[in-house]
Amino acid sequence: MKEKLLLFKPKHPAQFKKSSWYGVVMFVKTFALCSQYLARALAGKVNVPITDNYLRRFWQIQFKETFSTLFVTGRKFLKPNHTYLFMSNHESWLDIPAMFAAVPMSLRMVSKAGIMSIPVVGPAMEKAGFIAVDRKNRSKAIRQLELAKKRLNDGISIWMAPEGTRSRTGEIAHFKKGGFHLATSLGLDIVPVFIEGARDIMPADTLMINSNRSMTVHFCEPVSTKGVDKSSMNDLMEKVRTAIILKKQQVKAIHDDESAL
């Protein structure tokens, strides 16, 4: 892939090809960084640039401590000074730092409403720019939607995994509607994203790390949400899901051709 860009490469290879120790070290350092940010957030000493800097340190820790290389393709589809709702497949914890690294603009996640309601943690995440949309509580959903609009006005894009949970098989499950309602309510273009290789490095439900491997974030062409209403919501969902599946198939075909050479 001629357009593939290198975002991160470890300075040297890992000593062990497979070890849970790498996962333990990664999470300990991540916890320390998050605690530091939490203290600053509660003191009211955070803003968008400061938060972006912490997120940069966050994703660098993940790839440095797992001895993983990160690439990106498809950045040509992203317009400067434009905000998007990114939607990707989700197979591993490493999907999170990979997205923060690959998106060339300020980015925040859509979090589960339950996490945002945790004392101390929730307010800190809100100050950091993360959002949650609780569609079971109308008044809360309206307030959260207004918060999302403010993030967009601040030049912050949003990312979510529409499957709702990590895939344990690598198959792309059916999507939940919440993110699509958010996109149409905000008038956001949706960028389908296929994240390749994360599960090979760190499978779900384990700290075991397969080191000295690489992963790639593939951006697809944005999908417009203009004119989409309830009657066409399912078509929009299928269009985004199909784009991710097709990119996955294309990537596999390229690797199969390279292996045959």
Side-chain angles (χ1 to χ4, degrees):
M1 296 182 183
K2 295 181 179 180
E3 61 172 329
K4 181 181 283 190
L5 299 175
L6 174 65
L7 294 179
F8 184 87
K9 185 176 182 179
K11 292 183 179 179
H12 54 82
Q15 181 178 0
F16 303 107
K17 291 184 177 180
K18 187 175 183 178
S19 175
S20 59
W21 173 247
Y22 299 134
V24 172
V25 173
M26 177 186 70
F27 278 113
V28 168
K29 291 190 175 183
T30 299
F31 179 79
L33 181 68
C34 291
S35 298
Q36 186 184 81
Y37 180 85
L38 181 61
R40 292 194 65 161
L42 294 177
K45 297 181 179 180
V46 297
N47 53 29
V48 172
I50 288 175
T51 300
D52 287 345
N53 182 56
Y54 269 90
L55 289 170
R56 187 178 304 108
R57 291 165 62 186
F58 161 75
W59 72 255
Q60 288 175 345
I61 286 173
Q62 316 306 300
F63 289 99
K64 178 181 178 181
E65 299 306 329
T66 61
F67 295 88
S68 303
T69 300
L70 178 64
F71 296 95
V72 64
T73 72
R75 272 187 172 179
K76 63 183 181 182
F77 294 123
L78 308 181
K79 298 178 182 178
N81 303 317
H82 201 81
T83 52
Y84 299 96
L85 176 56
F86 294 88
M87 289 189 176
S88 74
N89 60 315
H90 188 24
E91 301 179 2
S92 168
W93 162 265
L94 289 178
D95 295 334
I96 300 172
M99 284 298 297
F100 282 119
V103 173
M105 57 193 68
S106 294
L107 181 72
R108 302 294 184 268
M109 289 173 58
V110 172
S111 175
K112 293 182 179 179
I115 296 177
M116 297 292 278
S117 65
I118 299 174
V120 181
V121 174
M125 290 183 67
E126 186 169 313
K127 289 181 180 180
F130 294 87
I131 64 171
V133 177
D134 187 353
R135 296 187 59 82
K136 296 180 181 179
N137 185 322
R138 179 173 173 77
S139 61
K140 184 181 290 187
I142 292 174
R143 187 184 72 83
Q144 290 167 334
L145 191 62
E146 289 303 313
L147 179 61
K149 290 180 181 178
K150 183 180 183 302
R151 300 302 178 224
L152 296 175
N153 290 334
D154 291 338
I156 297 173
S157 289
I158 302 169
W159 167 58
M160 67 174 301
E163 293 170 281
T165 187
R166 286 173 294 178
S167 170
R168 272 66 180 176
T169 63
E171 296 299 316
I172 298 175
H174 290 289
F175 289 173
K176 298 183 181 299
K177 289 186 177 181
F180 294 90
H181 284 293
L182 178 64
T184 55
S185 298
L186 299 176
L188 282 174
D189 288 345
I190 298 173
V191 179
V193 185
F194 171 55
I195 303 177
E196 172 199 1
R199 187 166 62 100
D200 295 334
I201 298 173
M202 186 179 185
D205 309 315
T206 180
L207 286 175
M208 186 62 67
I209 300 296
N210 298 307
S211 64
N212 304 324
R213 298 192 182 191
S214 67
M215 58 183 293
T216 304
V217 175
H218 301 275
F219 295 119
C220 303
E221 190 170 356
V223 176
S224 175
T225 62
K226 290 181 179 179
V228 175
D229 55 22
K230 289 184 179 180
S231 65
S232 54
M233 186 67 71
N234 288 337
D235 292 336
L236 174 65
M237 294 170 63
E238 190 58 30
K239 187 173 184 179
V240 173
R241 183 171 179 270
T242 298
I244 297 174
I245 292 174
L246 286 176
K247 177 57 68 174
K248 179 180 179 180
Q249 293 172 346
Q250 290 170 2
V251 169
K252 183 180 184 301
I254 290 172
H255 290 321
D256 288 345
D257 288 343
E258 290 174 345
S259 298
L261 295 178

